[in-house]
Amino acid sequence: MRYLPNSPRSRAEMLRTLGHSSIEELFSQIPEQIRFQGRLDLPGPLSEQEILEFFRQAASQSTSEYASLLGAGAYSHFRPAAVDALLSRGEFFTAYTPYQAELAQGTLQAMFEFQTLVAQLTGMEVSNASLYDGSTATTEAVLMALRLTRRNRVVVARTLHPEYREVMATYLRHLGTEVTEVPYSPAGQLDIAALKKALTAETAVVVVQSPNFLGVIERFGEVAELVHRSGALLVVTVTEPLSLAVVKPPAEADIICGEAQSFGVPVAFGGPYVGFLATRDKFVRQMPGRLVGQTVDTQGRRGFVLTLATREQHIRREKATSNICTNQSLCALAATIYLCLLGKQGLKTLAEHNLAQAHYAASRLATVPGACVPFASPFFNEFVVKAPGNAEVLLRDLRQEKILGGVNLERFYPELRDHLLVCVTETVNKAALDRMVRVYKEFSGQKQARAAASHPVGQEKA
Amino acid sequence: MATLAESGPKRTALYSVHKAAGARMTEFGGWEMPIEYTGITQEHLAVRTRAGLFDVSHMGEITVRGPKALAFLQSITCNDVSRLSDHQAQYSALMYSEGSAVDDCVVHRMGENDYFICVNAANTNKDFAWLVEHNSAGAELENVSRQYSQLALQGPRATAILTKVTDADLASIRTYWFTPARCCGVEGILARTGYTGEDGFEFYFSPEHSVHVWSTLLEAGKDEGLQPAGLGARNTLRLEAGYALYGHELDENTTLLEANLGWICKLDKGEFLGREALLQQREEGVRKKLVGFEMAEPGIARDGYPVWIGGEKVGQVTSGSPAPFLKKNIGLAFVPPEAAQPGYEIMIEIRQRQARARQVILPFYRRPK
Amino acid sequence: MYPEEFQYTKDHEWIRVDGDTGTIGITDHAQKELGDIVYVELPKSGDAVTAAETFGTVESVKAVSEIYSPVTGEVTAVNNKLQEHPELLNSDPHAGAWLIRVHLSEPQEVEKLMSSEQYEAYIREAESQ
């Protein structure tokens, strides 16, 4: 349904129908003492030219000169021009919410396709029409598990994205729910022994991210068995769903959720993004978010509607499956267009390219004296590197070479001092990677030279 | 040279000398050999900093002679024997058709139609039988192991010590070359070869002179700090140098490419047993890769300990021990080829726990120029 | 040679008992057999030990040896010097290189162990074979 603003004439007509002569009369029921007085402290209106100039200035502070190796939950991927071209069609760009099915078939079908793609990628039986982002999707999955099991303890991997854990803590703070964190093993995967200790008869759900925040791909056989044996549900979060094109999603998971920003949605300073959540048919009634279903109309033609609405806010209020009653339609549409453009084979080729590039970078960095790639586990397009010295200084040296070298992990994991999380997608070319290796080598060489200078007799051990 | 102790393991001619010196003995490849005299660490460091003397008489020697010798050796070993000049030697391997080794060895060319191979003690009989079985070319083969004692003098001071007891011009013998020579007054073959990663020589001679040569060398090296060294130090030295030990890094289920010995496989020298398999593997890729590692946290990796990556058991340690000179705990292991990368970590299962290890570039130790 | 106030096991551990505390180590004979000791793995304070069961390992260049507890009880102290200086076990096995201290839960177990005289006879016999 296209968005068309009201004209002064239609506004006047509506007021007349209501029996009011002005907008103020419509709001007369709002008590005087709580009404805002005066003017809002905002700058005045600008002309079109002034506005364009304003944004041009702001945009000039950004630059695309840098090669970015930043990941950590937001992934730089190439967005084909067709995505924006289709997204900006008026029918999509300003579409209203699809509660009137007869006016929203286009939107509903697009969301149905999105659900289908998510189900195919995750190997799950049903998916919703998207949620806000990966962090809320993960939290919603936890809330869903709490409802399904009627238990109130949550076990989370420490390698679940730190900010996802913060969002989850905010949600759970007033529910009286206990959250236990399970550390990672020396190989960077979930510590199975610690998981065993953390599971109790009151555990509702265990949340594990894969590839996890350290880039490591988790193994789920033993984990799933332990979780299910204790009567809890297994939630697997995927922040880089491109990985699903080459890494088999765990069939043992009860809910697979995460962030679909990698598919056609720009990194855009942190949002808007698009979360996804998929699960088994038997859990669908506890699944939050909008759900589009396929049906036939009175004339037997295929149609789409929002379905199982009794889960939702507008029907059930506080008994709803979530306070969220919307989806990220436009971003989900971007993801759908992107995935359809690439197709199954294209997505796989892209994923293999990411895998190859990241492994090329990692293998070259690993041989720099003083650097290493810790965590003896497979990874997709993100990995941890131990810097050959102070990570902040190294990042500064890399910035001077127009490279954003990665995330300094110390702020999230104090035990990983001087460790960088490095993400290599198709947007970084080989020349930039080789340049990065050169900076690492120079940095390492300088450190060795400084050390040798201060110990003239001794020898620096690499 | 072998004497039999009733029935049981063979002994070299120096057995009683080792016992008298207080050596702790052990059984190795059917021989009773000295593991250590004063201590493995001490002996190891002596070789790295001064010199050590090893009784390696248990090693096997096989002669290959006659007009068919070269052709035969070319067909049964992987390295290019035709490149050898007189008095030159090469590291090589006797081959199976699968591209794996019957044994690793050193092939020496005495002259045209006259070669001898030094093979591992544990495999001497197996090697000889294999050569005989495949000798359709008609070379003259003889297992002459009993006719030789072999001593190895290894270390930075080895040349200085040896020069006192031989007239041979040691400076003119390059690495992996040899010469007939008199040493300690005894005729023999003096080769600049070794298994420790240091400069040094190996002397092959008739066993009745064993005690004399041994004690003469020790006397000549006294001022230089020469000391006897046993098999314990021999193993830690070769491990630091990244050398393979048959039965560990090499066996019938490991191709030479997998063991990082592609460099001794001269695939364009002509047909040889195993060439097809190696060519195919070069195309298709190896099934496993030998990597060197050092422990990244306290713990010692030992032979046979499992290797884990990503929560899966993927291989095992072929040789592992403390490295007395490098003061680290090191090892060699087979891992899946895609996981083989210096700087990447692997997990070693040490009894009940998994300990972090880091892959490193081989060799662990290279002697200073 | 072997302190009289210690008691000994057939696996070459010694224990010195003071009231209901035992200090445990390996004997000089053991360190000689092992050669240069390069690594020791010991339990933590609070861990339980059981008589005749292993509580740690001692490693030389060539070999790993398990250490068996002479008694049952709870570990109250661990000799931390041995992490950095495992070679102490070769130079001072009967004093500076004690391994752990244990609170004995079954003090009567000590009666089954050998005296220094019996231990010396035991190793003399073993060596002559």
Side-chain angles (χ1 to χ4, degrees):
Chain A
M1 180 170 77
R2 207 181 281 224
Y3 170 75
L4 293 165
N6 293 320
S7 64
R9 197 191 312 166
S10 45
R11 244 183 264 148
E13 205 185 310
M14 284 189 270
L15 280 171
R16 232 183 357 259
T17 313
L18 291 169
H20 294 303
S21 56
S22 68
I23 290 275
E24 283 70 26
E25 270 184 53
L26 188 61
F27 296 141
S28 60
Q29 289 169 347
I30 298 171
E32 193 71 46
Q33 61 265 37
I34 64 172
R35 285 196 209 183
F36 181 80
Q37 306 294 345
R39 301 189 71 80
L40 289 169
D41 186 16
L42 291 171
L46 298 175
S47 68
E48 180 177 351
Q49 191 177 346
E50 285 167 320
I51 285 188
L52 285 173
E53 183 52 33
F54 172 80
F55 280 109
R56 199 185 359 257
Q57 293 250 8
S60 70
Q61 292 176 63
S62 259
T63 172
S64 48
E65 279 173 56
Y66 285 77
S68 173
L69 289 117
L70 297 170
Y75 300 94
S76 299
H77 289 292
F78 175 72
R79 304 177 61 238
V83 175
D84 278 339
L86 287 169
L87 271 191
S88 39
R89 288 184 67 100
E91 303 96 315
F92 290 132
F93 208 65
T94 56
Y96 198 56
T97 55
Y99 286 97
Q100 277 181 278
E102 57 273 30
L103 284 174
Q105 283 300 295
T107 298
L108 289 168
Q109 182 170 0
M111 290 307 99
F112 186 80
E113 299 290 353
F114 173 81
Q115 288 170 192
T116 307
L117 290 164
V118 170
Q120 284 179 333
L121 276 171
T122 58
M124 292 275 111
E125 289 163 345
V126 63
S127 156
N128 70 15
S130 76
L131 294 167
Y132 283 143
D133 67 1
S135 68
T136 49
T138 304
T139 303
E140 288 287 347
V142 167
L143 296 172
M144 184 174 153
L146 290 172
R147 288 190 300 269
L148 282 166
T149 59
R150 291 190 227 248
R151 296 178 179 184
N152 72 344
R153 279 198 173 143
V154 175
V155 172
V156 196
R158 186 145 178 271
T159 47
L160 173 64
H161 195 302
E163 289 165 345
Y164 284 28
R165 281 182 276 136
E166 273 183 58
V167 168
M168 195 187 298
T170 305
Y171 268 80
L172 298 177
R173 198 188 332 271
H174 299 295
L175 290 182
T177 314
E178 199 184 288
V179 180
T180 309
E181 244 177 41
V182 173
Y184 53 91
S185 73
Q189 294 178 324
L190 190 71
D191 184 329
I192 305 264
L195 174 66
K196 279 197 194 132
K197 286 211 194 101
L199 285 169
T200 71
E202 272 314 298
T203 307
V205 62
V206 176
V207 185
V208 183
Q209 178 181 325
S210 182
N212 65 29
F213 191 73
L214 303 173
V216 164
I217 297 171
E218 298 275 1
R219 282 173 67 82
F220 285 102
E222 207 185 338
V223 171
E225 216 208 285
L226 284 167
V227 172
H228 291 145
R229 204 168 343 132
S230 73
L233 296 179
L234 176 61
V235 168
V236 177
T237 297
V238 183
T239 60
E240 171 51 302
L242 182 60
S243 65
L244 293 171
V246 287
V247 180
K248 215 158 68 122
E252 312 96 325
D254 297 296
I255 303 169
I256 301 184
C257 60
E259 178 58 66
Q261 170 270 321
S262 288
F263 300 144
V265 177
V267 174
F269 224 61
Y273 290 167
V274 49
F276 66 88
L277 192 149
T279 186
R280 301 164 193 275
D281 268 333
K282 63 181 178 185
F283 299 136
V284 74
R285 281 177 192 282
Q286 285 301 329
M287 191 175 68
R290 291 192 183 147
L291 187 59
V292 178
Q294 184 185 281
T295 182
V296 289
D297 68 7
T298 53
Q299 290 167 28
R301 293 176 299 188
R302 183 182 69 171
F304 299 94
V305 287
L306 289 181
T307 183
L308 291 180
T310 49
R311 302 163 302 118
E312 294 198 68
Q313 268 286 296
H314 52 288
I315 310 284
R316 294 261 271 189
R317 292 186 69 177
E318 70 273 14
K319 292 221 184 80
T321 56
S322 176
N323 65 308
I324 299 173
C325 54
T326 186
N327 68 333
Q328 280 283 64
S329 238
L330 200 63
C331 294
L333 177 60
T336 307
I337 296 168
Y338 177 91
L339 288 170
C340 291
L341 265 175
L342 264 74
K344 195 149 68 165
Q345 192 51 56
L347 197 70
K348 189 152 182 286
T349 305
L350 179 66
E352 284 166 354
H353 182 61
N354 271 242
L355 186 73
Q357 291 246 103
H359 283 76
Y360 170 74
S363 64
R364 291 213 57 208
L365 290 176
T367 55
V368 172
C372 78
V373 173
F375 305 133
S377 289
F379 59 90
F380 174 56
N381 64 3
E382 224 172 354
F383 57 92
V384 176
V385 171
K386 178 161 187 324
N390 185 303
E392 280 305 314
V393 178
L394 173 62
L395 285 175
R396 185 203 64 198
D397 287 357
L398 286 165
R399 269 198 303 278
Q400 271 161 12
E401 287 288 323
K402 300 277 192 259
I403 298 172
L404 299 172
V407 176
N408 189 340
L409 284 171
E410 190 181 356
R411 66 191 239 242
F412 297 122
Y413 301 89
E415 73 278 11
L416 294 178
R417 201 152 71 132
D418 292 328
H419 286 66
L420 294 177
L421 181 65
V422 179
C423 177
V424 186
T425 67
E426 72 282 6
T427 59
V428 187
N429 63 30
K430 185 170 176 293
L433 292 177
D434 290 338
R435 209 164 73 237
M436 175 173 69
V437 175
R438 192 175 35 81
V439 175
Y440 269 73
K441 284 199 174 130
E442 275 164 19
F443 176 80
S444 163
Q446 281 157 21
K447 178 166 193 285
Q448 306 230 1
R450 271 200 302 276
S454 58
H455 298 281
V457 176
Q459 240 194 346
E460 169 89 346
K461 268 198 176 160
Chain B
M1 167 66 201
T3 61
L4 288 169
E6 277 109 35
S7 63
K10 301 192 274 274
R11 291 172 176 173
T12 72
L14 291 165
Y15 174 80
S16 27
V17 170
H18 299 319
K19 288 287 282 189
R24 193 200 307 270
M25 308 297 283
T26 191
E27 213 243 271
F28 180 79
W31 292 76
E32 209 173 334
M33 300 297 288
I35 267 269
E36 59 181 353
Y37 300 83
T38 52
I40 294 178
T41 303
Q42 217 253 333
E43 291 160 33
H44 180 115
L45 293 174
V47 173
R48 288 269 181 260
T49 59
R50 306 187 304 277
L53 184 63
F54 298 84
D55 175 11
V56 285
S57 304
H58 60 322
M59 303 285 278
E61 292 85 5
I62 297 170
T63 56
V64 183
R65 293 189 172 120
K68 305 294 186 186
L70 176 59
F72 173 58
L73 282 172
Q74 283 289 60
S75 73
I76 198 75
T77 66
C78 57
N79 207 341
D80 189 355
V81 192
S82 71
R83 295 235 209 128
L84 291 175
S85 307
D86 289 355
H87 298 175
Q88 192 182 7
Q90 66 182 196
Y91 180 51
S92 186
L94 304 179
M95 300 298 292
Y96 285 120
S97 60
E98 289 83 4
S100 51
V102 180
D103 200 3
D104 63 339
C105 60
V106 180
V107 176
H108 306 69
R109 178 182 155 124
M110 301 293 290
E112 198 185 351
N113 304 331
D114 190 0
Y115 297 83
F116 87 88
I117 317 173
C118 180
V119 295
N120 282 303
N123 296 333
T124 309
N125 294 337
K126 176 182 83 161
D127 295 349
F128 188 68
W130 183 258
L131 289 171
V132 165
E133 195 191 330
H134 288 81
N135 189 18
S136 49
E140 294 152 32
L141 304 174
E142 203 184 338
N143 180 353
V144 294
S145 305
R146 281 168 197 260
Q147 296 171 30
Y148 286 99
S149 272
Q150 188 189 350
L151 300 183
L153 176 60
Q154 305 276 305
R157 302 307 296 161
T159 304
I161 295 166
L162 193 57
T163 227
K164 296 187 201 171
V165 293
T166 183
D167 287 334
D169 177 9
L170 297 178
S172 68
I173 309 175
R174 283 169 287 161
T175 309
Y176 268 80
W177 288 74
F178 61 92
T179 180
R182 275 184 92 81
C183 174
C184 307
V186 172
E187 292 289 344
I189 297 163
L190 197 56
R192 199 171 209 135
T193 50
Y195 191 50
T196 61
E198 295 302 325
D199 183 29
F201 293 85
E202 293 179 309
F203 187 48
Y204 301 78
F205 59 96
S206 188
E208 70 262 27
H209 307 294
S210 303
V211 178
H212 168 75
V213 177
W214 176 265
S215 33
T216 307
L217 281 169
L218 281 178
E219 186 60 40
K222 207 154 65 171
D223 296 337
E224 294 279 5
L226 172 67
Q227 55 180 95
L231 292 189
R234 188 165 154 83
N235 186 51
T236 50
L237 286 160
R238 71 96 188 165
L239 183 60
E240 277 186 349
Y243 297 153
L245 174 61
Y246 194 86
H248 294 245
E249 290 70 41
L250 287 170
D251 61 27
E252 70 258 21
N253 295 318
T254 303
T255 72
L256 294 204
L257 296 177
E258 289 163 345
N260 293 341
L261 291 177
W263 62 278
I264 58 169
C265 299
K266 303 296 192 280
L267 296 171
D268 46 10
K269 73 165 177 174
E271 272 307 309
F272 63 89
L273 197 55
R275 180 173 177 269
E276 282 300 312
L278 290 172
L279 279 169
Q280 195 177 353
Q281 209 182 47
R282 203 170 55 169
E283 276 297 310
E284 293 172 1
V286 294
R287 303 160 298 182
K288 59 189 180 185
K289 199 95 186 43
L290 186 69
V291 299
F293 65 86
E294 57 186 45
M295 298 307 296
E297 61 182 16
I300 298 171
R302 305 251 175 209
D303 306 355
Y305 282 10
V307 174
W308 292 67
I309 294 176
E312 216 185 303
K313 207 183 291 203
V314 297
Q316 64 178 49
V317 176
T318 54
S319 298
S321 109
F325 183 75
L326 299 170
K327 301 213 196 322
K328 293 179 185 176
N329 296 325
I330 61 177
L332 297 166
F334 280 112
V335 299
E338 64 275 7
Q341 172 60 50
Y344 277 23
E345 289 196 359
I346 54 177
M347 306 298 294
I348 312 287
E349 188 185 313
I350 299 179
R351 294 180 287 282
Q352 274 77 46
R353 68 189 171 106
Q354 290 199 1
R356 290 168 58 194
R358 186 166 312 135
Q359 294 179 50
V360 295
I361 297 175
L362 289 168
F364 304 98
Y365 167 85
R366 218 189 277 271
R367 75 165 184 263
K369 290 281 168 237
Chain C
M1 159 93 256
Y2 286 97
E4 278 170 16
E5 61 272 25
F6 290 1
Q7 262 133 310
Y8 301 83
T9 69
K10 291 215 164 77
D11 299 305
H12 311 288
E13 291 93 12
W14 57 262
I15 179 169
R16 190 190 74 221
V17 179
D18 303 294
D20 57 5
T21 302
T23 305
I24 298 171
I26 61 167
T27 66
D28 186 58
H29 176 90
Q31 72 78 15
K32 276 209 279 261
E33 287 290 299
L34 286 164
D36 299 327
I37 293 172
V38 293
Y39 187 69
V40 187
E41 224 168 65
L42 294 172
K44 292 188 300 291
S45 269
D47 284 352
V49 295
T50 311
E53 284 181 18
T54 71
F55 67 86
T57 57
V58 173
E59 294 195 49
S60 66
V61 177
K62 268 226 86 66
V64 181
S65 272
E66 298 192 305
I67 331 170
Y68 297 89
S69 180
V71 292
T72 306
E74 188 189 303
V75 179
T76 57
V78 177
N79 188 349
N80 294 312
K81 271 192 272 179
L82 297 177
Q83 270 281 56
E84 291 290 304
H85 296 287
E87 67 277 6
L88 272 173
L89 276 156
N90 294 114
S91 57
D92 198 8
H94 292 168
W98 59 274
L99 297 170
I100 58 174
R101 292 217 165 91
V102 172
H103 171 86
L104 273 58
S105 58
E106 324 247 342
Q108 70 278 10
E109 283 171 336
V110 185
E111 290 157 27
K112 290 187 252 163
L113 305 174
M114 293 185 268
S115 68
S116 63
E117 244 183 67
Q118 291 168 322
Y119 181 65
E120 281 174 20
Y122 171 65
I123 50 181
R124 260 200 311 274
E125 232 211 279
E127 270 163 7
S128 70
Q129 270 160 15

